[in-house]
Amino acid sequence: MYKHLQERYAPRPPVNVGTLVKMRAEGEKIACITAYDASFATLVDDAGVDVVLVGDSLGMVVQGHDTTVPVTLDDIIYHCRAVARGLYRPFLMADMPFMTYASREQALENAVRLMQDGGAKMVKLEGGASQIEIVEFLASHDIAVCAHLGLKPQSVHKVGGFRVQGREEEAAERMLKDAQALEAAGADIVLLECIPAALGKHITEQLHVPVIGIGAGPDTDGQILVLYDVLDITSGRKPKFSKNFLAGHDSALEAVKAYTQAVKTKEYPGPEHCF
Ligand code: KIV
């Protein structure tokens, strides 16, 4: 009870949207990572990450699917509740799974479930111009939103694979316009996945909200990676932008600390992780 009064005096109070905006303004890189259970949530909190995402990547790394498409809202809520119990400081963001935000009403109802049942503080949804109305509607109900652009894994069957996006001038321009429109619609942060580093830099410079990148180069305001890639648990081919931080460290905690430090000091991502 009255946890907020204790938190006010904590040395590092919980992160919120305002903290992320301040970090961008002050040039402090935002370290983000995924988590899917309470034990790892506590570990990544102890390692000093700022934002934790319960991503629909859980469909691939936890459930063993080939894509994120089969993940349901109940799946995310189940994992989000577990993660929420393990976290103190990081800001908790949850993915809206495939086809859970196809209309404004559906998006609102499902975002409310992620927050009330799952404990999420922000919802993330994939999409460009087609999601403007949805983002506007959620924002008008004071729901914190992250707009995910670039490679959108939920569209994998439509785009034909996990590919770098925005290489052509026209596609790059469209992505910038979409990002600006989503910001104007009320998106609190933008996440860019798998795009050329130069485009990641350009979009970050043109926006006013914090921009988090994954395979989007070193110049976004923060970085996010899938926890299992950081710990080198993911089997098979690894994405070019991922890095095994367990190498050279003797525990998962030290590995996530090394990732957080590398983001903060701008050592990660290096040129070898960029497109
Ligand atoms: O689902 C997920 O984990 C994500 C990250 C890869 C950004 O969307």
Side-chain angles (χ1 to χ4, degrees):
M1 240 230 276
Y2 301 126
K3 206 168 144 206
H4 64 288
L5 293 179
Q6 292 158 18
E7 285 168 355
R8 196 181 295 165
Y9 300 106
R12 299 204 76 199
V15 174
N16 54 41
V17 172
T19 319
L20 303 178
V21 169
K22 188 161 175 274
M23 288 170 81
R24 170 178 161 110
E26 293 176 352
E28 178 184 348
K29 294 284 181 185
I30 303 165
C32 319
I33 200 162
T34 66
Y36 315 101
D37 66 44
S39 299
F40 272 118
T42 304
L43 184 147
V44 302
D45 189 345
D46 289 346
V49 303
D50 304 303
V51 177
V52 171
L53 168 68
V54 179
D56 58 3
S57 52
L58 72 85
M60 298 171 78
V61 300
V62 176
Q63 297 174 333
H65 296 294
D66 286 340
T67 73
T68 60
V69 172
V71 177
T72 66
L73 191 75
D74 285 339
D75 291 336
I76 297 281
I77 290 172
Y78 173 85
H79 288 275
C80 201
R81 287 169 107 140
V83 169
R85 289 185 201 114
L87 286 188
Y88 170 67
R89 180 182 167 271
F91 192 56
L92 178 55
M93 167 159 74
D95 257 335
M96 301 201 70
F98 180 64
M99 282 301 139
T100 62
Y101 47 100
S103 69
R104 298 187 327 168
E105 290 69 25
Q106 187 197 28
L108 181 61
E109 190 179 320
N110 289 332
V112 168
R113 282 202 61 208
L114 286 172
M115 295 174 74
Q116 291 192 324
D117 299 346
K121 292 176 176 164
M122 171 178 273
V123 298
K124 174 165 85 61
L125 49 85
E126 296 180 9
S130 57
Q131 299 305 334
I132 289 167
E133 209 196 328
I134 304 282
V135 169
E136 208 160 37
F137 195 60
L138 294 179
S140 74
H141 287 83
D142 288 340
I143 291 175
V145 181
C146 170
H148 181 153
L149 290 170
L151 173 64
K152 294 170 283 176
Q154 291 172 14
S155 312
V156 63
H157 298 308
K158 184 89 173 167
V159 296
F162 297 100
R163 302 215 174 93
V164 181
Q165 302 292 307
R167 282 200 197 270
E168 306 77 24
E169 204 178 322
E170 196 191 321
E173 267 169 32
R174 199 179 328 117
M175 205 183 297
L176 171 61
K177 288 215 163 66
D178 285 357
Q180 288 173 319
L182 288 160
E183 176 184 80
D188 299 278
I189 64 175
V190 167
L191 188 146
L192 301 174
E193 177 164 356
C194 225
I195 62 169
L199 181 58
K201 181 174 194 288
H202 185 53
I203 294 179
T204 304
E205 285 168 353
Q206 298 303 311
L207 295 186
H208 303 93
V209 295
V211 178
I212 309 300
I214 174 163
D219 297 304
T220 53
D221 300 308
Q223 301 291 331
I224 185 162
L225 278 180
V226 169
L227 173 66
Y228 289 20
D229 289 342
V230 168
L231 299 179
D232 201 31
I233 292 171
T234 318
S235 60
R237 206 167 137 237
K238 313 280 188 304
K240 179 181 160 91
F241 52 75
S242 77
K243 180 172 171 184
N244 169 12
F245 282 90
L246 195 60
H249 296 97
D250 59 11
S251 71
L253 177 61
E254 290 308 315
V256 181
K257 274 187 185 167
Y259 162 68
T260 306
Q261 270 306 103
V263 170
K264 298 276 176 194
T265 57
K266 307 179 194 171
E267 283 161 47
Y268 173 82
E272 69 278 24
H273 305 117
C274 299
F275 301 104

